[in-house]
Amino acid sequence: MKNYQLGSSRESVISLFPNRTIKKVRLGEKEIGIIRMDEEFFAFDATCPHRGASLLQGRINGNGEIVCPLHEYRFELKTGQVKAGICPDLPVFKTELTDEGLLISI
């Protein structure tokens, strides 16, 4: 597992990620999506495990799920568990917002 830090303070990270907007981030060799929902952050694999569609083009529903734009498969942001569709769960990564920035473990 590798740890990364984004930003240099809590405030800098919040300003980097507009609320409820998916942003692409490259950490080492890995491209992931990150979304901020108020002061909670979620990091996830950028591609759907079903057919490899870009989840960066997905949307977030009212249940805290990311919806794939290709087949409308839904994944819970906290756990990556598939909620609609037949495919493997979405890889998600631990995040922690600290006074020093956003920590992400991949």
Side-chain angles (χ1 to χ4, degrees):
M1 186 172 296
K2 191 156 184 164
N3 296 314
Y4 297 90
Q5 179 177 318
L6 299 176
S8 57
S9 68
R10 177 181 296 269
E11 294 76 22
S12 71
V13 172
I14 288 174
S15 69
L16 284 172
F17 293 93
N19 201 35
R20 299 186 66 84
T21 300
I22 299 168
K23 290 191 79 173
K24 174 175 70 172
V25 176
R26 180 169 289 282
L27 300 176
E29 297 296 315
K30 187 95 174 137
E31 187 175 273
I32 66 170
I34 297 178
I35 187 164
R36 175 174 71 88
M37 296 174 74
D38 299 319
E39 287 201 16
E40 193 169 12
F41 286 80
F42 300 95
F44 53 90
D45 201 63
T47 57
C48 180
H50 176 236
R51 290 279 176 100
S54 175
L55 292 176
L56 302 172
Q57 306 302 316
R59 64 182 169 79
I60 306 302
N61 67 17
N63 296 325
E65 300 166 341
I66 186 163
V67 181
C68 178
L70 186 60
H71 293 116
E72 301 283 316
Y73 283 18
R74 298 189 332 261
F75 303 92
E76 186 177 285
L77 284 170
K78 286 185 180 187
T79 64
Q81 183 180 18
V82 64
K83 293 297 188 174
I86 301 172
C87 73
D89 292 341
L90 176 67
V92 295
F93 311 104
K94 182 181 180 237
T95 63
E96 181 183 359
L97 182 60
T98 71
D99 290 338
E100 289 77 40
L102 181 65
L103 305 176
I104 304 169
S105 299
I106 294 184

